[in-house]
Amino acid sequence: MEQRIRQARMQQLRLIAEADRRRLHTACGARSTQVWLKNLLNIDGQDATNRVRIATATTPSSNTSGDSENTTGAVAGPEVSLPATGEALGEGVIGLEHARVISRCLTRLPAHVRHQAGEVERLLVDNARRQCPRDLAKLADRVRYMLDADGAVADERAQFESRELHYATARDGMLVIKARLDRETGAKFVTALQPLAAPRPETDDIKDPRTVGQRNADGLSTLLDLVLDTDGMPRTGGQKPHLTVTIDYTQLKNQLPTNATGEITTAGGAGMLEGTGQYVSPRTVRRIACDCEVLPMVLGGDSLPLDVGASQRTAPTHIRAALLARDGVCAFPGCDHPAGTPQAHHIVHWIDGGPTSLDNMVMLCAHHHRTTHNHHWHIELQRGRPVFTPPASLDPARTPRSGGKAQPATHHHALRHLNTPPESRPPTSRSLAST
């Protein structure tokens, strides 16, 4: 079926070329064959232009300029003829997108290598029979770099000059980013983002439910965490770039679960993100404040600072090292150490008087840090190991789950009899050993 569709497409291209040769567009009052075709077939203007270009290049009868074809298949001037491409299209072994890639490559060849156009066309057509258009475009790009190094460098320079990145806050408060990056910067972006946006490992045969777009957004969020956590960022006023949130302390403190289901019933307020001027809920502020530097600041009624306290880090270096040794990157049950900067979570929040100590903190990845806050998982330490109890909405029985790094407490219980003399083991252990 695909072959027949492609052959029918080539028949259409021959008709388009004939219509162009007869200048049928003038009878319809159109200024060009492209415009006439766009209206006739109800297609986009760029699609019409591509079809006319391929039609006139692959159909010999369309050459009305008086320029004769040379033995290599090239004609004088910027336009080239594509006899090998037309033959392959007629056979149905390549598609219109293949032809577009070939046409674009040959059209951009400089005059001093135009005599090789036929050879280049045959090379590309031969590969188009086995490659998809995207892979063929990479080969065409490589051909251009080999035959027209100066032009390739000029293209790279033009792309660099055309670089742009814009961001704006939409009406719903989300940040919208639009960017066009040169090849080098684009490769840096992809290289940094891909490992952070990879799907999470399957758990109980359940695949990562996030879409590709959501995974990319989460990967970018993790990438920003890594950047802001490094000492390489330029400082402003002696400080590293940091996320600043302004919120009323009473509203922040009141965001605690107040009923049996773990829901918050107190009235909520809002914190303002200084970077964008957008508001976030106190619940989100509490999560952000788990592992950050907090600068208490008393504001007057006109929002002007009256008193500024000392900055305090909730998870100093030695505590973070101990947490990593105990919990790994993430202590949440079943988490497979996702990439990114681990976040130190207060079991009893520091806002509520919880101490910044090893026995009141647990290391979590960004995803599970958000999960514990949003769904109100209960966390406690048992024998120095974190144990997570899900909310009733997730598990009505609220069965505790052991977390932490390798060799959790359950492993110690299971293997304890190996270090116990046989005469001291309980009956069940002796019977198992004897069996």
Side-chain angles (χ1 to χ4, degrees):
M1 288 298 297
E2 180 67 22
Q3 183 180 22
R4 292 180 180 179
I5 291 172
R6 291 174 174 179
Q7 290 173 331
R9 177 73 72 193
M10 185 57 198
Q11 293 178 9
Q12 185 192 59
L13 291 176
R14 293 192 183 102
L15 291 174
I16 292 173
E18 180 67 11
D20 186 67
R21 186 185 68 81
R22 296 188 185 187
R23 298 179 60 80
L24 295 185
H25 62 275
T26 58
C28 300
R31 60 182 178 85
S32 66
T33 301
Q34 289 90 322
V35 175
W36 170 73
L37 192 67
K38 172 181 178 295
N39 295 326
L40 179 68
L41 302 183
N42 191 24
I43 58 179
D44 290 335
Q46 186 60 50
D47 189 8
T49 299
N50 288 333
R51 293 194 197 187
V52 173
R53 180 180 292 116
I54 300 301
T56 55
T58 56
T59 307
S61 61
S62 65
N63 184 18
T64 59
S65 61
D67 297 319
S68 60
E69 294 179 17
N70 58 29
T71 56
T72 65
V75 295
E79 296 297 331
V80 295
S81 62
L82 306 172
T85 305
E87 182 179 351
L89 282 170
E91 296 173 4
V93 294
I94 69 172
L96 188 62
E97 188 62 22
H98 290 99
R100 189 195 68 79
V101 172
I102 298 171
S103 173
R104 184 172 182 269
C105 178
L106 269 66
T107 301
R108 299 176 68 191
L109 289 179
H112 68 275
V113 295
R114 190 62 63 84
H115 64 282
Q116 295 181 261
E119 181 183 356
V120 172
E121 184 199 7
R122 288 190 292 272
L123 170 67
L124 295 178
V125 169
D126 183 56
N127 282 271
R129 297 171 182 266
R130 305 184 300 272
Q131 296 180 354
C132 67
R134 182 181 293 273
D135 291 339
L136 183 67
K138 294 179 181 178
L139 175 61
D141 206 24
R142 183 67 183 88
V143 169
R144 176 116 191 283
Y145 269 74
M146 182 177 66
L147 298 180
D148 185 21
D150 292 339
V153 172
D155 283 350
E156 290 180 352
R157 186 180 300 113
Q159 287 185 1
F160 180 76
E161 294 299 329
S162 300
R163 69 194 185 282
E164 58 180 340
L165 189 149
H166 305 279
Y167 58 89
T169 303
R171 292 182 178 179
D172 61 358
M174 297 190 72
L175 190 72
V176 179
I177 302 174
K178 177 182 178 182
R180 282 172 49 86
L181 307 177
D182 59 274
R183 298 187 181 195
E184 180 181 351
T185 306
K188 291 179 183 178
F189 176 78
V190 172
T191 302
L193 185 67
Q194 278 185 339
L196 303 178
R200 287 193 290 265
E202 294 185 17
T203 304
D204 299 329
D205 295 329
I206 299 177
K207 295 184 178 180
D208 190 340
R210 299 175 299 169
T211 65
V212 175
Q214 290 172 334
R215 287 194 284 108
N216 287 338
D218 292 346
L220 180 60
S221 176
T222 303
L223 182 61
L224 295 176
D225 288 340
L226 293 170
V227 171
L228 293 177
D229 196 51
T230 182
D231 290 330
M233 290 290 291
R235 295 174 177 263
T236 302
Q239 288 186 319
K240 291 195 305 182
H242 57 277
L243 183 65
T244 301
V245 185
T246 303
I247 187 172
D248 182 88
Y249 179 77
T250 303
Q251 295 176 351
L252 183 63
K253 187 174 177 61
N254 285 343
Q255 292 298 298
L256 288 173
T258 56
N259 57 23
T261 61
E263 297 179 354
I264 294 175
T265 59
T266 56
M272 189 181 74
L273 296 166
E274 297 292 342
T276 60
Q278 299 298 305
Y279 289 96
V280 291
S281 66
R283 182 187 302 182
T284 298
V285 178
R286 290 176 67 90
R287 175 178 55 80
I288 294 173
C290 262
D291 187 18
C292 67
E293 288 188 357
V294 178
L295 184 64
M297 184 179 298
V298 180
L299 304 181
D302 52 2
S303 297
L304 294 177
L306 301 179
D307 183 39
V308 180
S311 176
Q312 60 184 38
R313 176 170 290 278
T314 60
T317 304
H318 66 284
I319 290 183
R320 291 181 68 88
L323 288 172
L324 285 171
R326 186 192 70 189
D327 302 337
V329 175
C330 183
F332 196 89
C335 183
D336 192 28
H337 298 208
T341 303
Q343 301 173 0
H345 169 74
H346 282 73
I347 297 175
V348 178
H349 206 294
W350 61 268
I351 295 174
D352 308 314
T356 302
S357 60
L358 186 61
D359 55 2
N360 187 49
M361 304 190 77
V362 64
M363 197 66 84
L364 296 172
C365 68
H367 169 74
H368 286 122
H369 195 186
R370 187 182 300 271
T371 298
T372 56
H373 275 274
N374 290 348
H375 300 289
H376 307 298
W377 283 67
H378 176 74
I379 306 173
E380 63 178 345
L381 296 181
Q382 297 180 3
R383 294 186 176 90
R385 296 283 177 178
V387 175
F388 293 73
T389 302
S393 58
L394 181 64
D395 179 9
R398 303 202 69 191
T399 305
R401 307 178 187 181
S402 298
K405 206 175 179 181
Q407 296 183 355
T410 53
H411 289 186
H412 290 290
H413 290 306
L415 303 177
R416 185 172 52 185
H417 74 279
L418 294 179
N419 293 324
T420 305
E423 61 275 9
S424 302
R425 296 175 187 170
T428 53
S429 297
R430 284 200 298 269
S431 62
L432 287 173
S434 60
T435 352

